[in-house]
Every structure is written in C-alpha cells, then in structure tokens.
Amino acid sequence: MALKDQSPGMCREDWLAVRATPPFSVFPLPMVRSLITGCIPLDLERGTIVFTQGELATSVFLILSGTVKISRITTGGSEAVLGIVRSCEIIGEAAMFCDRFYHVGAEVIKASRILRIEGAAIISQVQKKPSLALQILASASCRLKGLAEQLERMKCLSAEQRIADFFLQLCACRTGACSVGLPCDKQLIAGFLGITPQTFSRALARLRDFGVSVERDTIRIADVQRLSEFAQA
C-alpha cells in the first residue's frame, strides 16, 4: 500500500520524514502505521508553544519540517536554550519513560509541520514487544551523545569555532563552496552556543577571514573544508 494512503492529512513527504526519523526508522512498517493511524500533521506558525516545562507528558512530537527550540527555565527565571531541533527528529519522548512530565519546553521558531503521536500508543507497543525498548534506548543514547558533544564544544572551542561548527552542521557538502539558510535568528543561535549576541556578531565578523559571509538569513561558505579545519583546530 502506498505510504501516502496510510493516514489522513499525510502526504508522501510526511511519510518519508517519519521513516527517516529514529527510532521510527527501525520500527517495522506495520507498527509505524499502527502508531500514527489517525494522527494528523499540525502546521504551526512561529511562536507556537508545542509543550511547556512541567506540563504532563501525554505525547511525543515528530518534526516533519521546520525548526523548534528546546529550552528550560532556570531557577533564576532565565531561559537556557538547550537545542534547536529540525526535521526528522522527535521531541518529548524521554518524558514518556521518566516521571511523565516534560522537563523542557518546546516552541516553534520557524514555521513547522509536526506530527503528534500519543505516548500511550508507544507504551502499548513496547509492552507487546519489549525489544522495542532497546531501539528507543539506542535513539535516546544517540541524542545524549550529541548533547555531550555540544557541551564539550561549548567548554573547549572559541566563539568563532562554535559558530563555524554550527554552520558546518547545516552543510550538505564537505568540500567546496556551500550556501545554507539559518534555521532561526542569530540571537537564538547565540543562546544555543552559550555566547552573547554581541560576542556572536564580533565572532561572525572575524569569520570573514575564513570565507564566511552572511546575507540576511543565508550563510555563504567559500571553502567548507578550510572552515572545518579551523573549527577542529
């Protein structure tokens, strides 16, 4: 049966995104169909709150397209940006297997198409087939590894290297010239990288020496390999 025929409101591109997203990428197709039967993609504008910190966790959310900010409000009342999530990623899944409350908040920062999946449906499938828990754990472990690497970069790299590394993660190529769109505004990127907007602007200016230029929301890199060597120096 064609993928586009499986659930109302979902197009083929939606299904391809689902099948490219861990852990759904390794789940048996019949199980994926069962999990998202009746789920209708939500088209959300910038500023829409997906869920709030402390809210009862009843669902996981699969980003089909767009960009979502993951943040946490500190005890001092300030916001700490923990992640910038793009297509083919899921959010909120950890709460399903912890104390059932979201420990972070999620907000759309670039118009997004998001699939909401009931957590009860996932837990039911895990109870029927416990081996699925290992696949979910593997997916969560990969995310934890990414967070550890992010923390390492924030501790060890200069502001210029952090920005360069962030831009490189957006690139589809590893050599030659490349142009990519910013996933969100510069202030949010600065917060995610653990630097002030002023430091971000100064560091961005210094990256011109490494062939980086910014035109509105587009980053142009003259030599990806050269920038990569700088970021890893």
Side-chain angles (χ1 to χ4, degrees):
M1 188 177 294
L3 289 179
K4 63 182 180 181
D5 295 330
Q6 294 305 303
S7 187
M10 289 189 65
C11 63
R12 181 174 179 80
E13 288 72 21
D14 293 336
W15 271 96
L16 291 174
V18 170
R19 293 301 285 162
T21 304
F24 298 98
S25 54
V26 295
F27 282 1
L29 184 55
M31 180 176 296
V32 176
R33 290 172 176 163
S34 174
L35 285 172
I36 66 175
T37 294
C39 296
I40 300 176
L42 306 172
D43 293 303
L44 306 177
E45 296 299 321
R46 176 175 177 168
T48 302
I49 301 299
V50 182
F51 55 79
T52 59
Q53 180 178 328
E55 179 184 340
L56 181 64
T58 59
S59 307
V60 300
F61 300 84
L62 192 155
I63 314 302
L64 299 171
S65 63
T67 310
V68 174
K69 173 185 70 176
I70 304 298
S71 63
R72 183 173 174 82
I73 304 302
T74 68
T75 53
S78 60
E79 181 186 46
V81 179
L82 303 179
I84 297 174
V85 183
R86 296 182 284 276
S87 59
C88 297
E89 294 190 63
I90 59 173
I91 54 177
E93 77 281 12
M96 291 292 98
F97 301 95
C98 294
D99 57 8
R100 302 301 299 275
F101 290 92
Y102 297 119
H103 293 276
V104 296
E107 177 185 347
V108 174
I109 55 176
K110 186 175 183 180
S112 301
R113 189 168 170 84
I114 298 177
L115 192 65
R116 178 175 180 169
I117 304 171
E118 291 299 321
I122 297 176
I123 292 174
S124 175
Q125 290 292 345
V126 169
Q127 290 173 336
K128 293 176 183 177
K129 191 174 181 181
S131 61
L132 292 177
L134 293 177
Q135 296 171 332
I136 294 174
L137 179 61
S139 177
S141 296
C142 287
R143 179 171 299 221
L144 182 60
K145 179 175 180 290
L147 288 173
E149 291 172 346
Q150 175 190 330
L151 180 60
E152 180 183 359
R153 289 192 292 269
M154 290 177 63
K155 292 290 186 180
C156 302
L157 301 183
S158 67
E160 292 84 358
Q161 288 174 308
R162 293 182 212 176
I163 297 171
D165 181 74
F166 182 84
F167 289 167
L168 289 166
Q169 291 182 49
L170 302 176
C171 294
C173 56
R174 292 293 173 263
T175 59
C178 184
S179 295
V180 294
L182 288 176
C184 55
D185 62 51
K186 300 181 185 68
Q187 185 172 351
L188 277 174
I189 295 173
F192 174 61
L193 296 178
I195 56 181
T196 66
Q198 294 79 8
T199 299
F200 182 91
S201 295
R202 290 193 294 268
L204 192 58
R206 288 192 285 269
L207 284 177
R208 292 172 188 158
D209 294 338
F210 295 90
V212 177
S213 61
V214 182
E215 298 177 15
R216 293 182 180 273
D217 294 332
T218 300
I219 301 296
R220 303 189 189 282
I221 302 172
D223 189 331
V224 173
Q225 185 172 352
R226 182 189 177 205
L227 187 64
S228 179
E229 290 171 355
F230 165 73
Q232 298 172 18

